[in-house]
Amino acid sequence: ASTVYASAEIAMALAALRSRFDLTLPITRTTGFLESRRLANGSFGAAFETAFAIDALLALRAPRAGLANSVQALRTQQLPNGSFGDDA
C-alpha cells in the first residue's frame, strides 16, 4: 500500500477537523511527511499518488507556489486522450 496515498487521506481528515480540534502538530507532521515523499521530478510517484498529495497539501494550506512542480509533473503524466495511464 502507498504511504503517500494513506497519508494524503489522513491529511484530508485532519484538514476537515482542524476547526474543531487542536491539530497543529499532526498537521505539521503530515505536511512534512508528504513533502518529504516528493520525488526530484516533482511527482509523488504514480499519477494518483501525486494527485492525492497535491489535494491533501492544499487542504493543509501548504504554500501553492511550492506545489507548482508537482502540478507540472502531474500534467506530464496525462495522456493525449485525457487519461492517466488509460485508467482514470
Side-chain angles (χ1 to χ4, degrees):
S2 167
T3 58
V4 170
Y5 172 75
S7 295
E9 284 293 313
I10 292 165
M12 298 300 286
L14 293 173
L17 296 170
R18 76 179 335 144
S19 65
R20 298 182 74 195
F21 302 97
D22 179 11
L23 298 172
T24 304
L25 184 57
I27 286 173
T28 300
R29 287 179 175 168
T30 304
T31 300
F33 174 77
L34 286 171
E35 289 176 344
S36 77
R37 304 304 292 177
R38 186 182 346 238
L39 303 176
N41 69 355
S43 79
F44 290 84
F48 83 94
E49 292 173 306
T50 301
F52 274 107
I54 291 169
D55 203 26
L57 289 167
L58 287 171
L60 296 177
R61 302 180 185 151
R64 289 178 181 261
L67 296 173
N69 65 338
S70 297
V71 171
Q72 182 58 35
L74 188 59
R75 285 179 177 163
T76 64
Q77 294 180 19
Q78 189 174 28
L79 299 176
N81 68 4
S83 75
F84 294 85
D86 283 326
D87 61 0

